[in-house]
Amino acid sequence: MSSPLKLMCILAHPDDESLALGGTLAKYASEGVDTSLVVATRGERGWFSDWSSYPGEKALGEIREQELRRACQALGVKHLDFLNYIDGDLDQVEESEAIYKIVSLLRQVRPQVVVTFGPEGLYGHPDHIAISQLTTSAVMCAASPNYPYAKEAGTHSVSKLYYRVSPEAWFSQYMPIFGNLIMTIDGQERRATSWVNWSITTRVDATQYWKLVWQAIQCHQTQIPAKAILHNISEQEHQQLWGLQEYYRVFSLVNGGRKEEHDLFEGLHFSSQDSKEKSFSLIISPLQQVY
């Protein structure tokens, strides 16, 4: 029997999973892939209403956790874990501790595919950039027998690592609804950063799952209030927002080349465990000779 396919998404805040990756999560969950979500914070400072009614970090974090749990049910996510950091502080945490937490989850769950944000964090959000860096480091550490921590579960080599990225066309659809994605960090203005089309390695078509994504998004009531413009857009606009999702393949142990992918698990659909082990042996053996 072949090993079950597993997808782990490692993100910064509640609602990232729906707004940035909802179509992908819903698609693979519907296809029987074991989907896991790791979220670094509970979005404790993400408040878009009158600040006089802000419930405080702890209370809002509890609210947003429950919103996220409902969204995960809508998307079919099987496993949810938190790294228990505070919204907005992720780039200031002790890196070795955060990497250890992610390595522990990678070695426990043992996903073949991992997805996180790209190095630009979509629009320069420090938490998005931090989780990209931390996840990339953790994927490397999880595979190393020399990593000194989290040894109880044994090493685990992720087969494919992806960054969620977006071309200009997606932002042109997104920003008229959500507004310009602009942040001022250290006195410098950061804006949405699109990737050129030729740099995108993978496009996943999740159009048929847009209703599940919209259902998940509506769970995030503190972020998407009932009066939001999203409630008034057409079905076609929903499909355009949540349907096609683009990725950059950071590395793969099972495929390569510049031909555009349409499946995060390309190269991993084996008919038996034996064929899987054979494929890996062809790749790993030369490395063993070198090291």
Side-chain angles (χ1 to χ4, degrees):
M1 293 292 292
S2 61
S3 298
L5 295 178
K6 296 181 180 181
L7 169 66
M8 177 179 283
C9 296
I10 306 176
L11 305 171
H13 314 107
D15 79 23
D16 288 344
E17 84 299 330
S18 298
L19 294 172
L21 290 159
T24 298
L25 284 166
K27 167 185 165 63
Y28 285 112
S30 297
E31 293 176 357
V33 173
D34 189 308
T35 54
S36 299
L37 175 63
V38 178
V39 184
T41 80
R42 287 174 171 78
E44 296 89 345
R45 295 170 181 160
W47 187 250
F48 298 99
S49 300
D50 188 336
W51 277 97
S52 64
S53 59
Y54 175 57
E57 289 183 6
K58 185 176 186 300
L60 181 58
E62 292 172 352
I63 293 169
R64 295 199 68 188
E65 177 179 341
Q66 293 309 310
E67 291 177 343
L68 176 57
R69 292 190 182 280
R70 290 192 289 271
C72 285
Q73 289 181 338
L75 295 172
V77 174
K78 287 189 176 181
H79 314 284
L80 171 63
D81 290 282
F82 289 93
L83 299 183
N84 297 320
Y85 292 114
I86 299 297
D87 184 14
D89 290 349
L90 195 57
D91 66 339
Q92 301 167 52
V93 303
E94 174 55 52
E95 290 187 359
S96 60
E97 177 191 73
I99 290 169
Y100 162 74
K101 290 181 179 181
I102 299 172
V103 169
S104 296
L105 291 168
L106 288 170
R107 288 181 170 182
Q108 290 169 23
V109 178
R110 310 184 80 77
Q112 295 98 341
V113 176
V114 170
V115 174
T116 188
F117 283 116
E120 82 298 338
L122 281 184
Y123 55 95
H125 196 306
D127 283 357
H128 292 182
I129 294 170
I131 200 63
S132 176
Q133 295 174 346
L134 294 168
T135 299
T136 304
S137 297
V139 166
M140 299 293 98
C141 291
S144 173
N146 296 320
Y147 181 68
Y149 311 111
K151 290 186 174 182
E152 60 277 1
T155 60
H156 174 65
S157 295
V158 169
S159 299
K160 306 180 81 174
L161 172 65
Y162 288 93
Y163 292 154
R164 173 70 168 100
V165 300
S166 294
E168 185 177 354
W170 186 78
F171 282 119
S172 69
Q173 298 165 354
Y174 194 90
M175 288 191 289
I177 295 171
F178 288 88
N180 289 327
L181 300 174
I182 303 174
M183 301 185 74
T184 300
I185 307 295
D186 299 329
Q188 293 186 321
E189 188 174 86
R190 299 184 182 184
R191 293 176 174 267
T193 304
S194 59
W195 286 51
V196 293
N197 277 321
W198 57 259
S199 68
I200 293 169
T201 65
T202 312
R203 299 177 200 269
V204 174
D205 186 355
T207 305
Q208 71 182 89
Y209 303 98
W210 76 267
K211 290 183 179 179
L212 293 176
V213 180
W214 177 225
Q215 182 181 341
I217 289 170
Q218 291 179 89
C219 294
H220 293 285
Q221 287 297 304
T222 57
Q223 308 303 298
I224 312 293
K227 63 182 179 181
I229 191 172
L230 271 176
H231 291 269
N232 300 317
I233 67 175
S234 68
E235 178 175 325
Q236 181 181 7
E237 289 173 303
H238 274 293
Q239 291 177 351
Q240 290 172 340
L241 281 171
W242 323 123
L244 192 62
Q245 305 207 306
E246 293 88 359
Y247 295 90
Y248 175 72
R249 187 181 63 229
V250 183
F251 74 77
S252 171
L253 301 179
V254 294
N255 71 329
R258 71 174 186 269
K259 181 181 178 182
E260 187 175 281
E261 293 178 314
H262 300 284
D263 179 9
L264 298 183
F265 289 89
E266 185 172 315
L268 285 166
H269 294 286
F270 296 91
S271 59
S272 71
Q273 184 67 22
D274 289 341
S275 63
K276 179 176 180 180
E277 291 173 352
K278 179 180 179 181
S279 176
F280 273 97
S281 69
L282 293 174
I283 298 168
I284 294 172
S285 294
L287 296 178
Q288 291 174 334
Q289 293 173 10
V290 172
Y291 293 105

